[in-house]
Amino acid sequence: MKRFFITAAVIIVLLMVVIVVRTLLHQPPAAIDIEQVEIELNETELAQHLSESIQFQTVSFQSPAYKDRSQFTGFISWVHSTFPLVHERLEYLQLNDTMLYRWPGSDASLKPILVTGHYDVVPVIPGTESLWKHPPFTGVIADGVIWGRGALDDKSGVVGILEATTYLLESGYQPTRTVYLSFGHDEEIGGSEGAAVVAAYLKEQGVQLAWSLDEGSFIFDGLISGVSSLVAAVNVAEKGSVNLDIVAEAEGGHSSMPPQKSAVTDLARAITKLEENPIPGGLEGPSAEMFDIFSRYMPFIPKALFANQWLFGGLIESQLSAAPTTNAMLRTTTAPTMLSGSVKSNVLPIEAIARVNFRIHPRDSMDSIENYVTDLVASDSITVHRRGGSDASPVSDWKAPGFAIIAHSMREIHGDIPVAPGLMIAASDSRHYGKVADNAYRFNPIRLTPELLTGFHGTNERISVTDYAQGVRGYVRILYHGSSN
Ligand SMILES: [Zn+2]
């Protein structure tokens, strides 16, 4: 008996030693000494320009009938007159209401890059206007903050790129590698008339991009729990999406004589089954790399968990699965969104339908999800039907030069911050641009804090003048390094 306790104690001590040693080895990489780059900008003028851009109500409504085209043409004219150097010195092509600029490089043998954003915005939900501290389309600048729809998504991207290009033109910079800039007008409704048309145009011209940079993730400040330094996550892939209709069929008839089993209860059971059987997932690919990098900056306990995934892998995955944002990084998500049954209260339905939206992780496909769901719920009375959709994007290489350029540029502005790849859980125009790019990166070089999150597609969207100016500096360095060799 005594021997057993001694053996157990020795094993526990050894285990603790392994855990502690692995945790102590799980450190940030050696500090890199990067020279900070000073970029002199007129911040008052930057804020003024962004404010003006917000005042154009370039809203993408789900129904094109509601589009106020004059706001879009107004914005385009404003870009041409506010950034005259860009408009005069770069080649310009307009595809529908999407703007495409080409800045020819001196070495035509190099594959071009594309830096892009979208200037359409989502509507402000009627009735929520009064929740805004400053009206959403007035571009108020108060106490060092620029307010309004598009301040983060994504007019700061579009106008920031134009400011950065102007800065480089004014300093006499001449790119070696050709740069394309595109500013989409319909990202919020799928990009089929904008980014998709630009990608088709580039393809037709025989242009294959070395890499593209579009909106996506940000420089997080306080968004990764336990990490106090700024961290940049550059998304290297985006999830796909597919709708499946689950259809339950039954006899129908008068509701005064219901059978024991109805289409509605059959359907309810199927939906419950889906909820109880989430699509299998796990920490792998860019998300695994991201947690590996960021956890090195965490306090001892979470660091110990990530440093010892051989032991705590299951615990980590169950913790991450419990929160919606991290769960979405791990797996294809299941969201029943629409239901229909009978058209009248005293008529039994002959068909009850649930539409379920799946956001597809790169490891899965529309086919594999349809098969999984069919295996799980299909029966004599239940069938599964696919309604449109698209697979996840390919995963871009985070060891490739484009990624390194973005990372280096961020460190020139913000010091030696960690930069990791990530997975985009929403959709962006990059699913179109990615078709003509070796690698597609999704990242805004702008600082984001937890308080700002509700602004995305929500209320009180805003950006501080300082953060915006730093974003412009980030774009300056990305454009410079991206095109100088
Ligand atoms: Zn956006």
Side-chain angles (χ1 to χ4, degrees):
M1 199 62 183
K2 194 176 160 198
R3 236 179 127 160
F4 169 80
F5 280 115
I6 292 173
T7 313
V10 169
I11 289 174
I12 288 170
V13 169
L14 279 177
L15 202 60
M16 299 291 280
V17 169
V18 171
I19 290 171
V20 170
V21 168
R22 287 187 63 99
T23 306
L24 293 176
L25 290 174
H26 194 63
Q27 290 297 330
I32 345 174
D33 194 19
I34 292 180
E35 211 178 307
Q36 300 294 286
V37 176
E38 297 285 335
I39 297 170
E40 197 73 52
L41 296 172
N42 180 341
E43 297 196 0
T44 313
E45 195 179 88
L46 289 185
Q48 190 54 40
H49 287 164
L50 184 58
S51 159
E52 286 167 19
S53 77
I54 288 168
Q55 294 168 47
F56 292 95
Q57 302 196 21
T58 50
V59 178
S60 275
F61 293 96
Q62 208 57 48
S63 164
Y66 293 115
K67 177 174 169 173
D68 179 356
R69 177 125 196 271
S70 69
Q71 299 289 332
F72 290 74
T73 49
F75 180 84
I76 293 170
S77 309
W78 175 83
V79 166
H80 295 173
S81 59
T82 310
F83 301 100
L85 263 190
V86 176
H87 199 60
E88 283 156 22
R89 303 266 288 276
L90 274 57
E91 298 163 13
Y92 178 66
L93 184 67
Q94 198 172 312
L95 297 157
N96 297 318
D97 287 337
T98 287
M99 293 173 262
L100 179 66
Y101 283 104
R102 180 175 178 271
W103 193 3
S106 55
D107 185 348
S109 72
L110 297 171
K111 280 182 181 173
I113 61 164
L114 167 76
V115 182
T116 177
H118 67 90
Y119 72 91
D120 64 324
V121 295
V122 292
V124 170
I125 300 170
T128 64
E129 295 86 350
S130 63
L131 300 174
W132 285 70
K133 200 167 164 201
H134 298 284
F137 292 104
T138 48
V140 166
I141 306 169
D143 302 322
V145 176
I146 310 151
W147 293 76
R149 176 60 87 228
L152 287 167
D153 183 12
D154 178 32
K155 279 180 173 158
S156 46
V158 168
V159 184
I161 294 165
L162 286 160
E163 300 281 9
T165 309
T166 299
Y167 175 89
L168 289 169
L169 285 166
E170 278 174 351
S171 64
Y173 175 69
Q174 162 62 42
T176 308
R177 187 187 292 271
T178 296
V179 179
Y180 284 94
L181 309 175
S182 76
F183 306 118
H185 73 282
D186 65 345
E187 190 277 340
E188 299 291 2
I189 44 172
S192 60
E193 306 282 313
V197 175
V198 170
Y201 166 79
L202 292 176
K203 193 164 187 155
E204 182 194 296
Q205 299 289 308
V207 174
Q208 173 71 14
L209 304 162
W211 51 276
S212 60
L213 175 65
D214 190 6
E215 64 167 348
S217 190
F218 286 80
I219 301 171
F220 298 143
D221 186 354
L223 275 154
I224 307 286
S225 77
V227 180
S228 56
S229 83
L230 295 180
V231 294
V234 178
N235 288 337
V236 293
E238 69 185 60
K239 294 178 89 175
S241 175
V242 68
N243 289 322
L244 296 181
D245 278 356
I246 301 177
V247 181
E249 283 173 61
E251 285 275 301
H254 198 285
S255 66
S256 59
M257 299 170 294
Q260 291 218 312
K261 224 161 83 74
S262 76
V264 167
T265 50
D266 250 9
L267 183 65
R269 266 188 288 274
I271 300 171
T272 310
K273 222 170 181 180
L274 272 179
E275 187 181 79
E276 287 165 353
N277 295 276
I279 314 278
L283 197 52
E284 62 175 54
S287 304
E289 180 78 4
M290 187 182 86
F291 281 108
D292 180 70
I293 293 174
F294 291 166
S295 62
R296 291 166 191 270
Y297 298 82
M298 289 177 180
F300 190 83
I301 300 286
K303 186 191 273 197
L305 295 180
F306 282 100
N308 292 280
Q309 292 201 39
W310 59 278
L311 185 61
F312 301 122
L315 179 67
I316 291 171
E317 284 184 7
S318 71
Q319 287 292 314
L320 295 177
S321 299
T325 45
T326 42
N327 180 50
M329 294 178 192
L330 261 55
R331 59 170 45 79
T332 297
T333 51
T334 304
T337 51
M338 296 165 84
L339 286 170
S340 68
S342 173
V343 291
K344 200 168 180 316
S345 62
N346 62 355
V347 175
L348 294 169
I350 51 168
E351 213 175 50
I353 306 173
R355 178 156 294 185
V356 188
N357 181 244
F358 296 86
R359 293 304 174 105
I360 306 170
H361 191 277
R363 79 167 76 76
D364 299 321
S365 66
M366 290 194 285
D367 289 342
S368 72
I369 295 306
E370 189 178 352
N371 290 339
Y372 176 88
V373 174
T374 305
D375 286 349
L376 191 69
V377 304
S379 67
D380 291 346
S381 55
I382 291 192
T383 48
V384 176
H385 307 267
R386 191 194 297 185
R387 303 284 182 238
S390 58
D391 281 325
S393 73
V395 178
S396 292
D397 184 0
W398 61 85
K399 306 275 185 220
F403 191 98
I405 283 169
I406 296 166
H408 181 77
S409 302
M410 290 308 96
R411 290 177 179 133
E412 284 179 327
I413 306 297
H414 299 281
D416 184 17
I417 62 170
V419 182
L423 172 65
M424 186 142 171
I425 56 177
S428 75
D429 269 345
S430 282
R431 67 188 177 287
H432 304 299
Y433 296 127
K435 290 177 181 154
V436 287
D438 293 351
N439 288 295
Y441 302 115
R442 300 153 175 89
F443 173 70
N444 299 52
I446 288 169
R447 190 179 72 104
L448 190 70
T449 58
E451 310 81 67
L452 298 176
L453 281 181
T454 50
F456 287 92
H457 295 199
T459 50
N460 288 321
E461 189 174 350
R462 63 198 187 273
I463 187 172
S464 79
V465 176
T466 314
D467 285 338
Y468 177 54
Q470 288 292 71
V472 173
R473 292 184 179 95
Y475 279 123
V476 167
R477 297 313 285 172
I478 291 169
L479 284 165
Y480 170 77
H481 289 299
S483 64
S484 59
N485 59 51

